[in-house]
Amino acid sequence: MVIKMSKYKINILDESHIFDERENGIIHTPYEFETAFLSSVKKGSRTDVKNMINHMIDTGITVGKMSNDNLRQIQYWAVSSFTLITRSAIQGGLDETTAYNFSDNCIIDIDKMTKADDIVDYVIQKCIMLTDMVAENKENSVYPQPIRKCLHYINTHLHEKLDVATLSKECALSEDYLSYLFKKNMGINLSKYIRNQRLQASKEMLKDNYSVSDIAYYLGFCSESYFISCFKKEFGKTPKQFRNQ
């Protein structure tokens, strides 16, 4: 069975016709290829991942049957794909919280999609993006251990109070030395980095239909108006304009 799409070819292995399919040369995408692909994600190699994706597009992807409904079949395939690549990204050193949140958001987006081609496009785009995140993380691994610890703490505590005093205790450094070390390695002062990360997180919350006032509160902005001002300065549009785009 082949799912007909305008851009892609996905073969579905149906157990009830497995003999005929094997006789016609239709077999599951080889395990060795899947392993090599996931290894490329783990290494953060964008070039290898893109080359393998192009190969799959040219030759077609073959997967087991997971649903009688074609759209749901593609959605299930996409979800299983994100499960695998997320774990490979974690093995490649990407922060677990970052990887799982990324995967969860992707799966929520997929659940809303109604066109098979759009789903495959989305999986390809996000797979490359996740690979780039692994590569960027590997570059960041050159940072001193206290800075890596600081970055991880910020990433996992954006909804809590974050200041130099809190982070200096977590990293077992004086406030002055942590501020100096952070600016030296990251090229940005600590408070601005925290604000930027919160603004990035706010974009995902806007997509999930949180109210602007709730986002400002949850992410520790002193007021809704200050959050809106910071958002517009960073992204060139208000939260409402971003949500409605």
Side-chain angles (χ1 to χ4, degrees):
M1 172 184 173
V2 178
I3 295 181
K4 295 181 179 180
M5 294 184 280
S6 60
K7 297 169 62 177
Y8 305 105
K9 176 184 178 183
I10 296 188
N11 300 306
I12 307 300
L13 281 174
D14 187 342
E15 288 188 4
S16 62
H17 302 98
I18 197 71
F19 178 78
D20 292 337
E21 288 170 340
R22 285 176 177 165
E23 284 293 301
N24 292 323
I26 302 175
I27 60 173
H28 199 287
T29 300
Y31 174 73
E32 292 80 5
F33 184 88
E34 290 184 359
T35 302
F37 181 80
L38 294 174
S39 177
S40 296
V41 174
K42 180 179 175 180
K43 291 187 294 185
S45 176
R46 166 189 267 257
T47 300
D48 289 346
V49 166
K50 290 189 72 174
N51 286 340
M52 290 185 181
I53 287 173
N54 289 335
H55 173 76
M56 285 189 282
I57 292 173
D58 290 340
T59 60
I61 302 168
T62 303
V63 298
K65 184 175 182 179
M66 292 175 273
S67 174
N68 289 320
D69 181 87
N70 285 348
L71 177 62
R72 193 170 291 119
Q73 167 74 38
I74 298 300
Q75 288 175 320
Y76 288 164
W77 165 77
V79 170
S80 62
S81 296
F82 277 119
T83 299
L84 292 173
I85 65 175
T86 297
R87 276 127 186 96
S88 295
I90 292 171
Q91 292 170 5
L94 190 63
D95 176 73
E96 288 185 26
T97 303
T98 300
Y100 286 133
N101 286 344
F102 182 91
S103 176
D104 290 345
N105 288 329
C106 288
I107 290 170
I108 289 172
D109 287 343
I110 288 167
D111 185 58
K112 301 173 185 175
M113 294 183 180
T114 58
K115 295 182 180 179
D117 277 298
D118 290 345
I119 293 173
V120 179
D121 281 338
Y122 184 84
V123 171
I124 291 172
Q125 172 197 348
K126 293 298 182 179
C127 183
I128 294 172
M129 184 182 298
L130 192 62
T131 304
D132 287 342
M133 290 167 63
V134 174
E136 182 179 357
N137 182 74
K138 289 182 182 297
E139 293 177 4
N140 291 346
S141 66
V142 301
Y143 296 148
Q145 193 274 339
I147 298 302
R148 297 199 303 272
K149 188 173 184 178
C150 184
L151 292 172
H152 176 75
Y153 190 89
I154 292 170
N155 186 51
T156 54
H157 293 80
L158 284 175
H159 298 282
E160 301 174 19
K161 180 181 178 181
L162 283 173
D163 53 26
V164 178
T166 302
L167 292 166
S168 64
K169 290 178 182 177
E170 181 68 22
C171 300
L173 297 174
S174 71
E175 294 180 26
D176 287 344
Y177 187 62
L178 175 61
S179 297
Y180 161 76
L181 198 62
F182 195 92
K183 179 68 178 292
K184 178 183 177 182
N185 283 273
M186 301 300 297
I188 185 175
N189 67 50
L190 191 51
S191 60
K192 186 173 182 180
Y193 178 85
I194 292 170
R195 184 172 67 249
N196 288 350
Q197 292 303 107
R198 283 176 164 158
L199 288 171
Q200 289 295 335
S202 74
K203 292 168 71 175
E204 297 304 321
M205 295 180 73
L206 286 166
K207 292 177 183 177
D208 291 336
N209 291 319
Y210 283 86
S211 70
V212 173
S213 60
D214 281 347
I215 294 172
Y217 174 76
Y218 291 144
L219 292 178
F221 290 89
C222 62
S223 68
E224 180 179 341
S225 60
Y226 180 63
F227 164 63
I228 294 172
S229 174
C230 290
F231 192 97
K232 186 173 183 180
K233 183 176 180 181
E234 181 70 17
F235 303 118
K237 58 190 71 176
T238 66
K240 183 177 180 181
Q241 289 171 333
F242 174 82
R243 196 202 300 272
N244 294 334
Q245 68 183 3

Short mmCIF file of all heavy atoms in Angstrom, two decimals, residues 200-232:
data_model
loop_
_atom_site.label_atom_id
_atom_site.label_comp_id
_atom_site.label_asym_id
_atom_site.label_seq_id
_atom_site.Cartn_x
_atom_site.Cartn_y
_atom_site.Cartn_z
N GLN A 200 11.68 33.99 24.75
CA GLN A 200 11.58 32.85 23.84
C GLN A 200 10.51 31.87 24.32
O GLN A 200 9.71 31.36 23.53
CB GLN A 200 12.94 32.14 23.71
CG GLN A 200 14.00 32.91 22.96
CD GLN A 200 13.66 33.11 21.48
OE1 GLN A 200 12.90 32.34 20.89
NE2 GLN A 200 14.23 34.16 20.89
N ALA A 201 10.50 31.62 25.63
CA ALA A 201 9.50 30.71 26.21
C ALA A 201 8.09 31.28 26.04
O ALA A 201 7.12 30.54 25.84
CB ALA A 201 9.80 30.47 27.68
N SER A 202 7.98 32.60 26.10
CA SER A 202 6.66 33.22 25.98
C SER A 202 6.03 32.97 24.61
O SER A 202 4.80 32.90 24.48
CB SER A 202 6.76 34.73 26.25
OG SER A 202 7.35 35.43 25.16
N LYS A 203 6.85 32.83 23.58
CA LYS A 203 6.34 32.57 22.24
C LYS A 203 5.59 31.23 22.20
O LYS A 203 4.52 31.11 21.58
CB LYS A 203 7.48 32.58 21.22
CG LYS A 203 8.10 33.96 21.03
CD LYS A 203 9.41 33.90 20.25
CE LYS A 203 9.21 33.56 18.81
NZ LYS A 203 10.48 33.63 18.04
N GLU A 204 6.16 30.22 22.87
CA GLU A 204 5.49 28.92 22.92
C GLU A 204 4.20 29.01 23.72
O GLU A 204 3.20 28.37 23.38
CB GLU A 204 6.43 27.87 23.52
CG GLU A 204 7.70 27.62 22.71
CD GLU A 204 7.39 27.22 21.28
OE1 GLU A 204 6.43 26.45 21.07
OE2 GLU A 204 8.10 27.67 20.36
N MET A 205 4.22 29.78 24.81
CA MET A 205 3.01 29.93 25.62
C MET A 205 1.92 30.66 24.86
O MET A 205 0.73 30.35 24.99
CB MET A 205 3.35 30.65 26.93
CG MET A 205 4.29 29.86 27.83
SD MET A 205 4.70 30.70 29.37
CE MET A 205 3.14 30.52 30.28
N LEU A 206 2.30 31.62 24.03
CA LEU A 206 1.33 32.32 23.20
C LEU A 206 0.69 31.36 22.20
O LEU A 206 -0.52 31.42 21.95
CB LEU A 206 2.00 33.48 22.46
CG LEU A 206 2.33 34.71 23.30
CD1 LEU A 206 3.29 35.64 22.54
CD2 LEU A 206 1.05 35.47 23.69
N LYS A 207 1.50 30.45 21.65
CA LYS A 207 0.96 29.46 20.72
C LYS A 207 -0.03 28.53 21.42
O LYS A 207 -0.96 28.01 20.81
CB LYS A 207 2.10 28.64 20.12
CG LYS A 207 3.00 29.40 19.18
CD LYS A 207 4.13 28.51 18.69
CE LYS A 207 5.10 29.27 17.80
NZ LYS A 207 6.25 28.41 17.37
N ASP A 208 0.21 28.32 22.73
CA ASP A 208 -0.68 27.44 23.50
C ASP A 208 -1.86 28.20 24.11
O ASP A 208 -2.57 27.68 24.98
CB ASP A 208 0.12 26.76 24.62
CG ASP A 208 1.11 25.75 24.08
OD1 ASP A 208 0.89 25.25 22.97
OD2 ASP A 208 2.10 25.45 24.78
N ASN A 209 -2.03 29.46 23.67
CA ASN A 209 -3.21 30.27 24.05
C ASN A 209 -3.27 30.68 25.52
O ASN A 209 -4.35 30.91 26.06
CB ASN A 209 -4.51 29.55 23.66
CG ASN A 209 -4.69 29.47 22.15
OD1 ASN A 209 -4.41 30.44 21.44
ND2 ASN A 209 -5.13 28.33 21.67
N TYR A 210 -2.11 30.78 26.17
CA TYR A 210 -2.08 31.42 27.48
C TYR A 210 -2.39 32.91 27.29
O TYR A 210 -2.01 33.51 26.29
CB TYR A 210 -0.71 31.27 28.13
CG TYR A 210 -0.43 29.90 28.72
CD1 TYR A 210 0.08 28.88 27.93
CD2 TYR A 210 -0.66 29.64 30.07
CE1 TYR A 210 0.34 27.62 28.46
CE2 TYR A 210 -0.39 28.40 30.61
CZ TYR A 210 0.11 27.39 29.81
OH TYR A 210 0.38 26.16 30.34
N SER A 211 -3.03 33.50 28.27
CA SER A 211 -3.29 34.94 28.20
C SER A 211 -1.99 35.71 28.42
O SER A 211 -1.06 35.21 29.06
CB SER A 211 -4.32 35.35 29.25
OG SER A 211 -3.76 35.28 30.56
N VAL A 212 -1.93 36.91 27.88
CA VAL A 212 -0.73 37.73 28.03
C VAL A 212 -0.44 38.01 29.51
O VAL A 212 0.71 37.98 29.95
CB VAL A 212 -0.88 39.05 27.24
CG1 VAL A 212 0.29 39.99 27.53
CG2 VAL A 212 -0.96 38.76 25.75
N SER A 213 -1.49 38.27 30.26
CA SER A 213 -1.29 38.55 31.69
C SER A 213 -0.74 37.34 32.43
O SER A 213 0.13 37.47 33.30
CB SER A 213 -2.60 39.02 32.33
OG SER A 213 -3.61 38.03 32.20
N ASP A 214 -1.24 36.15 32.10
CA ASP A 214 -0.73 34.93 32.74
C ASP A 214 0.73 34.67 32.37
O ASP A 214 1.54 34.28 33.21
CB ASP A 214 -1.57 33.72 32.33
CG ASP A 214 -2.88 33.63 33.08
OD1 ASP A 214 -3.02 34.37 34.08
OD2 ASP A 214 -3.76 32.85 32.67
N ILE A 215 1.08 34.91 31.11
CA ILE A 215 2.47 34.71 30.67
C ILE A 215 3.39 35.65 31.43
O ILE A 215 4.45 35.24 31.92
CB ILE A 215 2.60 34.94 29.15
CG1 ILE A 215 1.82 33.85 28.39
CG2 ILE A 215 4.07 34.92 28.73
CD1 ILE A 215 1.74 34.09 26.90
N ALA A 216 2.99 36.91 31.52
CA ALA A 216 3.81 37.89 32.25
C ALA A 216 4.01 37.46 33.70
O ALA A 216 5.12 37.57 34.24
CB ALA A 216 3.14 39.26 32.20
N TYR A 217 2.95 36.94 34.30
CA TYR A 217 3.03 36.50 35.70
C TYR A 217 3.90 35.25 35.84
O TYR A 217 4.81 35.20 36.68
CB TYR A 217 1.62 36.22 36.23
CG TYR A 217 1.61 35.62 37.61
CD1 TYR A 217 1.87 36.40 38.75
CD2 TYR A 217 1.33 34.26 37.78
CE1 TYR A 217 1.86 35.84 40.01
CE2 TYR A 217 1.32 33.69 39.05
CZ TYR A 217 1.59 34.48 40.16
OH TYR A 217 1.59 33.91 41.41
N TYR A 218 3.62 34.22 35.02
CA TYR A 218 4.34 32.96 35.13
C TYR A 218 5.84 33.12 34.86
O TYR A 218 6.67 32.43 35.47
CB TYR A 218 3.77 31.93 34.16
CG TYR A 218 2.38 31.43 34.52
CD1 TYR A 218 1.45 31.13 33.52
CD2 TYR A 218 1.99 31.27 35.84
CE1 TYR A 218 0.17 30.69 33.83
CE2 TYR A 218 0.72 30.83 36.16
CZ TYR A 218 -0.18 30.54 35.17
OH TYR A 218 -1.45 30.10 35.47
N LEU A 219 6.19 34.03 33.96
CA LEU A 219 7.59 34.18 33.57
C LEU A 219 8.32 35.28 34.35
O LEU A 219 9.45 35.62 34.02
CB LEU A 219 7.70 34.44 32.06
CG LEU A 219 7.30 33.24 31.17
CD1 LEU A 219 7.38 33.62 29.70
CD2 LEU A 219 8.19 32.03 31.45
N GLY A 220 7.66 35.82 35.35
CA GLY A 220 8.35 36.70 36.29
C GLY A 220 8.56 38.13 35.82
O GLY A 220 9.43 38.83 36.35
N PHE A 221 7.79 38.60 34.84
CA PHE A 221 7.87 40.01 34.45
C PHE A 221 7.12 40.85 35.49
O PHE A 221 6.09 40.41 36.01
CB PHE A 221 7.31 40.22 33.05
CG PHE A 221 8.17 39.64 31.96
CD1 PHE A 221 7.99 38.33 31.54
CD2 PHE A 221 9.18 40.40 31.37
CE1 PHE A 221 8.80 37.79 30.54
CE2 PHE A 221 9.98 39.87 30.38
CZ PHE A 221 9.80 38.55 29.97
N CYS A 222 7.61 42.03 35.76
CA CYS A 222 7.04 42.84 36.85
C CYS A 222 5.62 43.31 36.54
O CYS A 222 4.85 43.61 37.46
CB CYS A 222 7.95 44.03 37.16
SG CYS A 222 8.17 45.19 35.80
N SER A 223 5.26 43.37 35.27
CA SER A 223 3.90 43.77 34.90
C SER A 223 3.61 43.30 33.47
O SER A 223 4.52 42.98 32.71
CB SER A 223 3.72 45.29 34.98
OG SER A 223 4.50 45.92 33.97
N GLU A 224 2.33 43.27 33.13
CA GLU A 224 1.94 42.89 31.78
C GLU A 224 2.47 43.90 30.76
O GLU A 224 2.94 43.51 29.68
CB GLU A 224 0.41 42.83 31.70
CG GLU A 224 -0.12 42.43 30.34
CD GLU A 224 -1.63 42.34 30.29
OE1 GLU A 224 -2.25 42.23 31.37
OE2 GLU A 224 -2.20 42.39 29.19
N SER A 225 2.42 45.17 31.10
CA SER A 225 2.87 46.20 30.16
C SER A 225 4.38 46.09 29.92
O SER A 225 4.85 46.31 28.79
CB SER A 225 2.51 47.59 30.67
OG SER A 225 3.11 47.84 31.93
N TYR A 226 5.13 45.74 30.96
CA TYR A 226 6.58 45.59 30.79
C TYR A 226 6.89 44.38 29.90
O TYR A 226 7.78 44.44 29.05
CB TYR A 226 7.25 45.42 32.15
CG TYR A 226 8.75 45.26 32.06
CD1 TYR A 226 9.57 46.26 31.55
CD2 TYR A 226 9.35 44.07 32.48
CE1 TYR A 226 10.94 46.10 31.46
CE2 TYR A 226 10.73 43.90 32.40
CZ TYR A 226 11.51 44.92 31.88
OH TYR A 226 12.87 44.75 31.80
N PHE A 227 6.13 43.31 30.11
CA PHE A 227 6.31 42.13 29.25
C PHE A 227 6.04 42.48 27.79
O PHE A 227 6.82 42.13 26.89
CB PHE A 227 5.39 40.99 29.69
CG PHE A 227 5.24 39.91 28.67
CD1 PHE A 227 6.33 39.15 28.26
CD2 PHE A 227 4.00 39.65 28.09
CE1 PHE A 227 6.19 38.15 27.29
CE2 PHE A 227 3.86 38.67 27.13
CZ PHE A 227 4.95 37.91 26.73
N ILE A 228 4.95 43.18 27.53
CA ILE A 228 4.60 43.57 26.15
C ILE A 228 5.69 44.44 25.55
O ILE A 228 6.09 44.26 24.39
CB ILE A 228 3.25 44.30 26.13
CG1 ILE A 228 2.12 43.35 26.54
CG2 ILE A 228 2.97 44.89 24.75
CD1 ILE A 228 0.78 44.03 26.73
N SER A 229 6.21 45.37 26.35
CA SER A 229 7.27 46.26 25.87
C SER A 229 8.54 45.48 25.52
O SER A 229 9.15 45.70 24.46
CB SER A 229 7.59 47.31 26.95
OG SER A 229 8.70 48.09 26.57
N CYS A 230 8.92 44.54 26.39
CA CYS A 230 10.12 43.73 26.14
C CYS A 230 9.93 42.85 24.92
O CYS A 230 10.84 42.68 24.10
CB CYS A 230 10.43 42.86 27.36
SG CYS A 230 11.02 43.75 28.80
N PHE A 231 8.74 42.26 24.79
CA PHE A 231 8.44 41.37 23.66
C PHE A 231 8.53 42.14 22.34
O PHE A 231 9.15 41.66 21.37
CB PHE A 231 7.04 40.77 23.83
CG PHE A 231 6.75 39.64 22.89
CD1 PHE A 231 6.91 38.32 23.29
CD2 PHE A 231 6.29 39.89 21.60
CE1 PHE A 231 6.64 37.27 22.42
CE2 PHE A 231 6.01 38.85 20.72
CZ PHE A 231 6.19 37.54 21.14
N LYS A 232 7.93 43.32 22.30
CA LYS A 232 7.94 44.10 21.06
C LYS A 232 9.36 44.55 20.71
O LYS A 232 9.75 44.55 19.53
CB LYS A 232 7.03 45.31 21.20
CG LYS A 232 6.89 46.10 19.90
CD LYS A 232 5.85 47.20 20.01
CE LYS A 232 5.69 47.92 18.67
NZ LYS A 232 4.67 49.00 18.74
#
